[in-house]
Amino acid sequence: MLLRRLVAAAGLSLLGLCPALAQQKPAELKIGITTYSSGAASVFGIPARDAAEMLAADINAKGGVQGVPVKLFFVDEGAGIETLMTEYRRLVEDTKVDVMFASISSGVCNKIAPLAEDLKVLNFMWDCGTQRILEEDKYNYVFRTQANATPEVLAPLLYLLKTKPDFKTIAVVNQDYAWGRDSWAIFSQALKVLKPDVKVVAEFFPKFGAADFSTEVSRLLALKPDVILSTSWGGDLDTFVRQANQRGLFKSSLFVLPLAESSLQRLGTDLPEGVIVGGRGDHYFLHPERIGDAKFKAFMDAFKQKTGSYPIYPVFHMAQAFAALEAVYGKAVAANGGKWPSHDQVAKAMPGLTFQALGRPVEIRADGQGVEDQLIGTTTRVPAYSFDILDNMMIFPAVQLMPPVGQKSEAWIATLKPGIVDIKVDTFKAAK
């Protein structure tokens, strides 16, 4: 009997200590990050990894997140979805990461989001674009720290309609997976609403990672569409552009490449002037509003020195994830009376969060979706750079390019009126 009382008393004592222990600052804040470290998409993923290492080092040099140093754990998306899911679960259950940044691929995010919810781990969708995840399901632990496909696709469409409205035919060449299909669905639906007389003459969906676009280029040369859209990215986009340029396709069609900001430096002069380009947000190393900011310039210079290239939009997206991390822990600590918050308290602090990294401020809506303005421009060449830069830039207000919380993009796009083409935007010329 005495033994039972002692055990019971000890148990109650431990239970009483649990809340106090839960408020103790950990020795480190563990962050798991998925990015492409191998394969064609690594041209996109490795710069993001480099940025994460720089950002973490900078945070730690300043004392950490609310006094806690961050430690990073990387997972290669290029290893395949099964391996990625296994590694994701291992990081959460065995390594005990506090937050996951996942992922780049929309196809991966479709799988990761429900897994994160099941594991009750805070997950920042730091780069994937498909709008369906947060529109079709409600999550408590999954948030997107950047825009989704809807504003990222509507902005270049509106730019096209503002600057080159007299086109009659269009074709699309998109990667055959969630992002490629979803982005074309948004673009084509909005185009049908805003300019219904345009004829879609071809729809191509080559497999993700394709190395040969000769069939698509041959058909497009024969069809001669006024406009060719491709929301492809990474090595796929680079290969398509080079093969199209070699065969003169840019001479007969206007290209709209909403994700090509990330390819400008790699493509060099293989990408002609006069192409409409987006950066999936207001992401650009010559950002017209930030170029004079000392901190912005310092990061651009430091990244260039470390990697040999200027930051591209996955770098900006990674910076936003870290900015959100710092902001939400600050908010959660304040709401918890200065004590270290639980994972649930951090997750509950995400809706309504505002943070700023290397572009304009971003706000997390009640549905977990980030609201991020969109920068679109047209390629031009100047002597200072060996690759095209952007001219005639417009920054579109994202809040006007997204459905309200609780409404799906398809239903909202159906309500658009032609007057949205006249949306007020901020305009800028190229930095010479």
Side-chain angles (χ1 to χ4, degrees):
M1 180 67 72
L2 178 60
L3 179 60
R4 286 183 180 179
R5 288 179 179 176
L6 289 172
V7 171
L12 288 172
S13 297
L14 288 173
L15 287 173
L17 285 173
C18 283
L21 289 172
Q23 305 303 328
Q24 295 299 313
K25 285 186 177 181
E28 56 193 11
L29 191 63
K30 298 178 181 179
I31 312 298
I33 300 176
T34 69
T35 185
Y36 281 94
S37 301
S38 62
S42 63
V43 297
F44 186 93
I46 289 176
R49 186 189 66 192
D50 291 337
E53 292 171 345
M54 289 177 60
L55 292 160
D58 184 60
I59 289 171
N60 288 341
K62 295 176 181 177
V65 174
Q66 296 295 307
V68 177
V70 298
K71 183 176 182 179
L72 308 183
F73 300 83
F74 292 99
V75 178
D76 181 13
E77 282 191 54
I81 187 62
E82 295 303 324
T83 299
L84 177 62
M85 297 281 280
T86 299
E87 286 299 297
Y88 188 103
R89 184 180 290 275
R90 181 187 63 79
L91 283 179
V92 175
E93 295 181 334
D94 298 339
T95 307
K96 306 295 184 185
V97 296
D98 298 285
V99 182
M100 288 293 301
F101 293 178
S103 288
I104 289 180
S105 166
S106 290
V108 170
C109 280
N110 281 331
K111 300 286 187 180
I112 288 295
L115 177 60
E117 197 73 4
D118 288 344
L119 295 174
K120 293 182 169 55
V121 62
L122 181 61
N123 189 96
F124 291 175
M125 295 189 293
W126 69 272
D127 189 74
C128 60
T130 179
Q131 79 286 358
R132 297 185 183 278
I133 295 173
L134 296 178
E135 288 186 357
E136 297 181 355
D137 290 289
K138 180 175 175 57
Y139 293 92
N140 296 312
Y141 298 93
V142 178
F143 302 88
R144 182 182 273 119
T145 53
Q146 32 90 207
N148 65 24
T150 304
E152 291 173 349
V153 171
L154 285 183
L157 172 58
L158 294 179
Y159 185 98
L160 172 65
L161 293 173
K162 281 175 173 289
T163 59
K164 302 286 185 179
D166 297 328
F167 62 100
K168 300 296 183 183
T169 57
I170 189 169
V172 61
V173 183
N174 276 5
Q175 293 151 314
D176 189 12
Y177 81 113
W179 165 257
R181 296 283 180 173
D182 288 348
S183 58
W184 172 237
I186 292 168
F187 191 101
S188 59
Q189 183 191 3
L191 180 62
K192 189 176 296 184
V193 171
L194 301 177
K195 195 172 174 61
D197 59 322
V198 173
K199 182 180 180 181
V200 178
V201 296
E203 296 176 305
F204 297 108
F205 292 94
K207 68 178 182 179
F208 188 88
D212 182 8
F213 294 89
S214 57
T215 299
E216 291 83 359
V217 172
S218 294
R219 289 285 293 132
L220 292 169
L221 284 169
L223 290 168
K224 292 183 171 56
D226 296 327
V227 174
I228 296 174
L229 169 75
S230 180
T231 65
S232 297
W233 54 275
D236 292 26
L237 178 61
D238 296 355
T239 302
F240 173 56
V241 166
R242 289 191 176 102
Q243 293 179 10
N245 189 40
Q246 288 168 0
R247 297 181 61 184
L249 187 55
F250 283 86
K251 296 177 182 178
S252 59
S253 300
L254 170 64
F255 274 65
V256 178
L257 306 176
L259 278 67
E261 180 275 339
S262 63
S263 293
L264 293 176
Q265 297 172 70
R266 295 192 304 272
L267 287 171
T269 57
D270 286 338
L271 183 67
E273 293 184 281
V275 175
I276 295 175
V277 165
R280 293 195 64 210
D282 61 321
H283 307 317
Y284 188 38
F285 81 100
L286 296 174
H287 193 300
E289 294 177 335
R290 300 298 305 276
I291 196 169
D293 180 82
K295 291 183 179 180
F296 179 88
K297 186 177 185 304
F299 184 86
M300 298 300 114
D301 292 344
F303 189 88
K304 178 69 159 59
Q305 184 175 8
K306 175 182 173 68
T307 68
S309 299
Y310 295 104
I312 56 178
Y313 78 72
V315 171
F316 287 76
H317 280 171
M318 186 62 74
Q320 286 176 186
F322 275 93
L325 180 76
E326 291 189 277
V328 75
Y329 267 90
K331 180 180 177 182
V333 166
N336 199 35
K339 298 177 182 178
W340 190 256
S342 68
H343 291 162
D344 282 354
Q345 288 173 317
V346 177
K348 289 177 181 177
M350 282 296 293
L353 185 74
T354 299
F355 54 91
Q356 185 172 14
L358 300 171
R360 287 182 172 181
V362 177
E363 181 181 359
I364 303 295
R365 304 195 313 182
D367 59 356
Q369 174 60 55
V371 180
E372 177 184 44
D373 291 349
Q374 301 293 313
L375 185 151
I376 312 294
T378 302
T379 55
T380 190
R381 289 180 188 162
V382 296
Y385 299 97
S386 60
F387 53 88
D388 288 0
I389 65 169
L390 299 183
D391 196 10
N392 298 321
M393 290 172 280
M394 300 181 187
I395 299 182
F396 291 78
V399 70
Q400 297 184 50
L401 302 181
M402 301 172 67
V405 173
Q407 190 171 358
K408 294 181 180 180
S409 290
E410 291 88 345
W412 175 74
I413 290 171
T415 68
L416 293 179
K417 305 297 182 185
I420 195 174
V421 176
D422 299 321
I423 184 175
K424 184 178 179 181
V425 298
D426 295 316
T427 60
F428 308 89
K429 297 296 291 181
K432 303 298 183 181

